Amino acid sequence: RYSSVTGVQTCALPIYTGVVATFGKVEEFVLGEGMHFKLPWQTVIKMDNRAQKETITTQAFSSDIQQVDVIISVNFSVDRETSQNLYRNVGVAYYETVIQPRVYENLKAVFAKYSAENLVSERAHLSEKIEELIRPEMKSFGIELLNISIEDIDFTDVFTDAVEAKQVAEQSKLQATIEQEQKVMEAEKEAERQVIAAEAEASV
């Protein structure tokens, strides 16, 4: 929070950084907490340095061209020492301008490398891969990517029904195999009993 008293501004919240612009030109320093002098032709722009979270809902396609609805959360913060560079190069809408488009782009690129069936089981790995792609570029802007988390992955009803049908078929096949093996074992045991009984009768 910045309050002006006779040309003096006070930065009362350490969770913000003050970027100073003189006649519209961004200075190479930032203001932290404490008392600061502000000239009449200077403006101070607050940059939020708190950990921030945004949730994105989007669509992607798997390697086998299955449509996927994805909910992904992004946690990030702005570096205090280089806030002026971020404001100078991007402005205050850095999430909409820099972060969100990169998440869209890299999420789609990563998802396109996996089949639909592997996407669910690889959820944690998918988040890591997206982070690896985005983190270096975010750092170059002065944004620290804290973590990315895939909250939900949802497929079309047609695909979901097909997967369920496949699972039912596999379970039925497994059950039939088990029952067949049990019948074979029972037949072998019955044959052994008959052999033993025949040997016992012959020895009498």
Side-chain angles (χ1 to χ4, degrees):
R1 181 177 64 249
Y2 287 84
S3 59
S4 179
V5 180
T6 63
V8 177
Q9 288 203 339
T10 303
C11 178
L13 296 177
I15 55 177
Y16 289 98
T17 295
V19 174
V20 181
T22 304
F23 290 118
K25 180 182 178 181
V26 178
E27 300 289 352
E28 292 298 333
F29 61 88
V30 294
L31 303 178
E33 60 272 19
M35 299 284 292
H36 302 282
F37 289 100
K38 170 189 170 296
L39 299 174
W41 49 83
Q42 289 182 321
T43 56
V44 179
I45 301 92
K46 290 193 299 183
M47 296 293 281
D48 193 343
N49 301 118
R50 296 172 296 179
Q52 302 176 60
K53 178 180 179 180
E54 296 287 348
T55 301
I56 298 172
T57 300
T58 186
Q59 290 183 336
F61 287 89
S62 62
S63 61
D64 47 352
I65 321 298
Q66 292 294 333
Q67 181 177 304
V68 189
D69 294 322
V70 187
I71 299 176
I72 184 170
S73 62
V74 186
N75 293 272
F76 60 93
S77 64
V78 173
D79 181 63
R80 292 175 59 85
E81 303 302 321
T82 60
S83 296
Q84 75 278 17
N85 295 329
L86 179 60
Y87 177 75
R88 181 187 297 112
N89 298 324
V90 180
V92 293
Y94 46 84
Y95 170 72
E96 294 82 1
T97 305
V98 173
I99 301 174
Q100 190 178 58
R102 269 65 172 190
V103 173
Y104 281 138
E105 176 185 348
N106 289 285
L107 182 149
K108 294 176 188 296
V110 169
F111 272 53
K113 296 179 180 179
Y114 294 83
S115 68
E117 289 190 42
N118 289 334
L119 285 174
V120 175
S121 60
E122 295 288 342
R123 177 184 293 191
H125 183 62
L126 294 171
S127 299
E128 293 173 2
K129 295 298 292 183
I130 297 170
E131 283 183 29
E132 290 174 5
L133 292 171
I134 297 176
R135 181 170 280 112
E137 188 175 11
M138 293 301 99
K139 191 172 183 63
S140 70
F141 282 102
I143 299 171
E144 182 182 359
L145 183 64
L146 302 177
N147 81 293
I148 284 180
S149 177
I150 295 177
E151 306 290 349
D152 187 53
I153 297 177
D154 191 26
F155 299 93
T156 63
D157 292 340
V158 173
F159 177 76
T160 302
D161 292 343
V163 171
E164 291 177 352
K166 180 180 179 181
Q167 291 175 341
V168 170
E170 290 177 348
Q171 288 295 325
S172 298
K173 182 179 179 181
L174 178 61
Q175 183 63 33
T177 300
I178 293 173
E179 291 175 355
Q180 182 62 31
E181 290 176 350
Q182 288 177 338
K183 289 179 180 179
V184 171
M185 290 176 60
E186 291 173 357
E188 290 175 348
K189 289 180 179 179
E190 179 60 26
E192 289 176 2
R193 285 195 294 268
Q194 291 179 2
V195 169
I196 293 172
E199 290 177 348
E201 185 176 348
S203 63
V204 174

